[in-house]
Amino acid sequence: MIPDIINELGENRESYFNAGSPPIFSTSNFLFDKVKDMREAMVTSNEKPFYTRGHNPTTRILEKKIAALENTESAIAVSSGMGAVAIGMLSQLKSGDHLICIKKPYTGTDKLTNKILPKFNIETTFIEGKTIDEFKNAIKSNTKLIYLESPNSWTYEMQDLKKISDLAKEKNIITAIDNSYASPINCNPSDWGIDIIIHSATKYIGGHSNAMGGIICSSKKIIDQMYECEYTLLGNVMSPFNSWIFINGLRTLKVRMKQISKSTPKIVKFLKNHPKIKKVIYPHSKNFDQKNLVKKYLKNPCGQFSIQLKSQSKKEIESFCDKLHHFKMACSWGGYESLIFPEIARYNSSSKYYNDTEFLPINYIRFYIGLEDKKMLIDDLKKALN
Ligand SMILES: *Cc1c(COP(=O)(O)O)cnc(C)c1O
């Protein structure tokens, strides 16, 4: 990981008047005077820009920085995290193939595997994924992809990345992971042999809740294949303006993560000791049941955890959420602002999810800690709990 040189990486300042912040190349076309030049740009489309649904210089800067952060040879930026998940999966699977996916992935990923993949005759086996034997038992002769989230961003089950990638390599299966929870600062799955690393850039990478984007990191070979096919043909392009926003986000990613790593455990501790809280689920808690995996794979504490209130009363649970002043409610996370997502908000909507579990308990609330002062956040919690 080389975040300290992230400012220079990928930038060609001399080609744009040494601007410190790169220009937003807001253009669809790149123009040519000579057939020879046009032909050259078409053949080496990875190096010379030809058309923005493919190569845009602002986006390319972002891609180079992220590839370096994730320790992979290459990366492509797409229009959302779900766009990255979709390309990651569709590029590795064809009709008749089998996918192994962890049981409680991000809700959009869950729906993709349940609604879109079956249309193409792709079968998915969902496993909890806590032991390597579960993976061994789930592998079939047509298994082509193992899809992970370690941890996921609701219930935080983790997987042993090294053991899984060793097993997958032996069986010629590609591994992919949604690494959004940890960000490239707190986990680099390629170091453990994982082939494809996916981020919702909308979250930590952007960091300001002001743009949607997704990133896929992998070997040059895998990214070039995606580039030629799913990326350009499904039209899942990041706008140059968003690429510029994410470059800005990357410049402060390390310090934002540092702040979050410091404040989140303190807030977790406060909640754990509060008499109205039944339990707190957080990978960096002492009583987390996969402590050894946390130690091995997560470099620092991250900003998401969940709590269960003691109360089962709908009125009390909603009143607690409504009374929080500094924690707003939203589905996303990873920005400057602290947020909650109460499970109870999902009740009465048609938004059922997860293959077999449907809803979590009514008193379950997902927290994200932003960049605010921890004392202010704890005071807010205290008031709402009382
Ligand atoms: C938000 C999120 C996604 C989807 O990203 P979008 O940018 O919202 O499309 C995927 N995985 C995880 C873990 C997420 O939190």
Side-chain angles (χ1 to χ4, degrees):
M1 190 188 55
I2 39 176
D4 289 330
I5 57 165
I6 208 72
N7 264 333
E8 280 78 37
L9 249 169
E11 311 213 15
N12 307 299
R13 290 188 175 131
E14 62 285 4
S15 63
Y16 37 79
F17 307 103
N18 291 316
S21 174
I24 303 167
F25 286 95
S26 187
T27 184
S28 55
N29 277 331
F30 294 83
L31 309 179
F32 305 94
D33 285 328
K34 299 272 188 298
V35 174
K36 176 179 154 292
D37 294 338
M38 185 177 190
R39 183 184 296 130
E40 204 185 327
M42 285 175 83
V43 175
T44 57
S45 54
N46 260 326
E47 292 313 318
K48 289 203 173 156
F50 179 74
Y51 189 49
T52 280
R53 178 166 51 70
H55 178 172
N56 177 279
T58 313
T59 304
R60 192 50 57 89
I61 293 170
L62 173 70
E63 290 167 341
K64 287 189 172 160
K65 287 180 193 292
I66 299 255
L69 274 176
E70 276 295 11
N71 255 329
T72 56
E73 288 172 354
S74 193
I76 38 176
V78 298
S79 58
S80 70
M82 269 319 295
V85 174
I87 289 183
M89 285 191 176
L90 293 174
S91 63
Q92 303 307 314
L93 296 164
K94 61 177 188 328
S95 175
D97 284 348
H98 174 243
L99 161 72
I100 297 173
C101 182
I102 46 117
K103 209 168 209 167
K104 293 185 221 159
Y106 176 70
T107 42
T109 306
D110 187 47
K111 285 180 184 163
L112 174 73
T113 56
N114 280 302
K115 287 179 192 247
I116 296 185
L117 297 187
K119 284 200 216 178
F120 300 100
N121 188 29
I122 296 163
E123 185 207 358
T124 307
T125 301
F126 295 95
I127 59 172
E128 178 117 85
K130 284 186 171 182
T131 66
I132 192 71
D133 285 339
E134 281 178 83
F135 287 90
K136 280 184 187 154
N137 295 336
I139 291 175
K140 300 183 183 187
S141 58
N142 58 341
T143 304
K144 292 288 157 55
L145 180 66
I146 295 178
Y147 187 90
L148 311 170
E149 282 180 28
S150 185
N152 72 43
S153 56
W154 267 96
T155 50
Y156 316 101
E157 288 85 4
M158 294 185 68
Q159 300 99 50
D160 196 324
L161 307 187
K162 178 71 170 68
K163 281 191 186 157
I164 294 163
S165 79
D166 285 349
L167 172 69
K169 282 185 172 61
E170 193 187 300
K171 305 268 183 193
N172 249 324
I173 299 167
I174 295 282
T175 47
I177 187 167
D178 181 334
N179 196 31
S180 304
Y181 178 92
S183 89
I185 301 296
N186 287 334
C187 179
N188 294 127
S190 69
D191 295 351
W192 305 102
I194 301 294
D195 299 304
I196 299 172
I197 296 108
I198 289 164
H199 283 283
S200 168
T202 314
K203 314 294 165 54
Y204 284 131
I205 290 170
H208 296 74
S209 307
N210 57 1
M212 309 264 328
I215 307 279
I216 310 168
C217 303
S218 190
S219 64
K220 182 165 179 343
K221 183 174 162 220
I222 288 178
I223 294 293
D224 284 356
Q225 283 166 354
M226 290 177 185
Y227 183 90
E228 292 295 331
C229 190
E230 290 76 15
Y231 170 66
T232 30
L233 302 183
L234 296 176
N236 194 345
V237 198
M238 182 179 281
S239 93
F241 179 67
N242 280 11
S243 302
W244 183 82
I245 287 181
F246 291 123
I247 291 168
N248 286 344
L250 276 188
R251 300 208 199 277
T252 58
L253 179 62
K254 198 174 131 186
V255 285
R256 285 187 282 111
M257 294 313 293
K258 204 169 173 180
Q259 160 76 12
I260 288 166
S261 290
K262 260 202 212 155
S263 58
T264 311
K266 304 238 163 75
I267 292 160
V268 165
K269 193 172 162 202
F270 164 78
L271 286 166
K272 256 189 168 165
N273 294 329
H274 197 284
K276 289 193 179 161
I277 306 289
K278 184 174 165 198
K279 71 173 175 189
V280 183
I281 310 166
Y282 184 48
H284 278 82
S285 282
K286 279 201 192 77
N287 59 349
F288 187 68
D289 66 342
Q290 295 178 291
K291 217 58 226 153
N292 54 333
L293 297 186
V294 174
K295 215 170 151 197
K296 187 162 176 193
Y297 295 115
L298 288 179
K299 295 175 190 173
N300 296 293
C302 305
Q304 279 177 304
F305 61 87
S306 296
I307 67 163
Q308 240 180 297
L309 293 167
K310 272 191 189 148
S311 175
Q312 299 275 359
S313 138
K314 190 168 176 285
K315 196 161 155 263
E316 279 176 15
I317 297 162
E318 290 193 13
S319 151
F320 165 69
C321 298
D322 295 349
K323 286 206 166 81
L324 287 167
H325 176 66
H326 295 295
F327 287 87
K328 302 293 178 199
M329 283 174 247
C331 68
S332 189
W333 53 275
Y336 59 91
E337 76 283 42
S338 293
L339 297 168
I340 61 165
F341 189 151
E343 179 74 6
I344 202 168
R346 242 195 262 265
Y347 282 62
N348 299 331
S349 85
S350 60
S351 166
K352 285 192 180 175
Y353 67 112
Y354 299 152
N355 335 295
D356 58 359
T357 52
E358 300 198 349
F359 294 113
L360 294 168
I362 197 164
N363 52 3
Y364 196 93
I365 302 169
R366 201 267 308 273
F367 274 75
Y368 164 69
I369 304 303
L371 304 177
E372 304 93 334
D373 178 54
K374 65 175 186 299
K375 187 173 173 305
M376 180 184 93
L377 295 176
I378 289 175
D379 285 347
D380 199 26
L381 289 165
K382 255 184 209 162
K383 272 191 213 136
L385 281 164
N386 291 340

